[in-house]
Amino acid sequence: AGAAGRAAARAARRGGDGRVVAAAPDAAEVLARVLTRAGATVATAGGTDEALEKFHRARPHVLVSDIAMSGRDGYDLIRAIRELPPEQGGEIPAIAVTAYAREEDRIRALNAGFQIHLAKPVEPAALAAAIAHLAGEDAPVHLKVG
């Protein structure tokens, strides 16, 4: 991830310790490894309920969520978070990571409340750059749709 990963961690650390909650069962380990090496604190979750629990405990700066999860999906997760008041994290920057890569899937994710839609497979540097972008750093964002 290099410079983009460091920028993501720096951006996430502003005002805290660089907390990221990742609800992406198949990509969480890679995400955690990349961002932890860059200095961020990453809490991973295997599903929506666990992600919500960790979200409330960790008060992250960025949310990264897969859309397809067993049980409740990423749309359920972002809907629950967007219903929270801002002081409880309802306006957290959020990234959807998904195999659903059609244009209509991207539009659905953005309309649901995600700011960025990344199609799998996602390069770690692109994910780190997207996190940095959402946190206000000047890292380039490489979006792969389709």
Side-chain angles (χ1 to χ4, degrees):
R6 287 187 298 277
R10 257 194 333 274
R13 277 196 303 269
R14 279 189 273 148
D17 62 356
R19 296 175 301 266
V20 177
V21 167
D26 61 345
E29 287 183 32
V30 172
L31 171 65
R33 192 170 38 249
V34 168
L35 294 176
T36 299
R37 271 188 270 163
T41 300
V42 181
T44 60
T48 299
D49 294 331
E50 183 183 3
L52 284 170
E53 178 185 315
K54 289 186 177 188
F55 180 86
H56 291 298
R57 267 190 287 138
R59 299 301 299 262
H61 297 99
V62 178
L63 172 73
V64 178
S65 177
D66 201 330
I67 296 296
M69 293 186 277
S70 60
R72 297 170 54 197
D73 63 16
Y75 293 118
D76 294 321
L77 175 60
I78 197 67
R79 194 171 18 261
I81 289 172
R82 292 297 179 239
E83 290 175 357
L84 297 171
E87 63 273 10
Q88 291 181 15
E91 295 180 352
I92 186 172
I95 299 170
V97 177
T98 179
Y100 303 119
R102 298 172 304 172
E103 180 64 16
E104 54 264 35
D105 298 317
R106 184 185 72 79
I107 291 168
R108 181 177 179 205
L110 298 176
N111 286 337
F114 291 98
Q115 283 76 33
I116 294 178
H117 172 271
L118 295 175
K120 292 179 185 177
V122 177
E123 291 296 322
L127 181 58
I131 291 169
H133 174 75
L134 287 181
E137 290 283 320
D138 292 329
V141 178
H142 305 286
L143 301 180
K144 178 181 177 185
V145 178

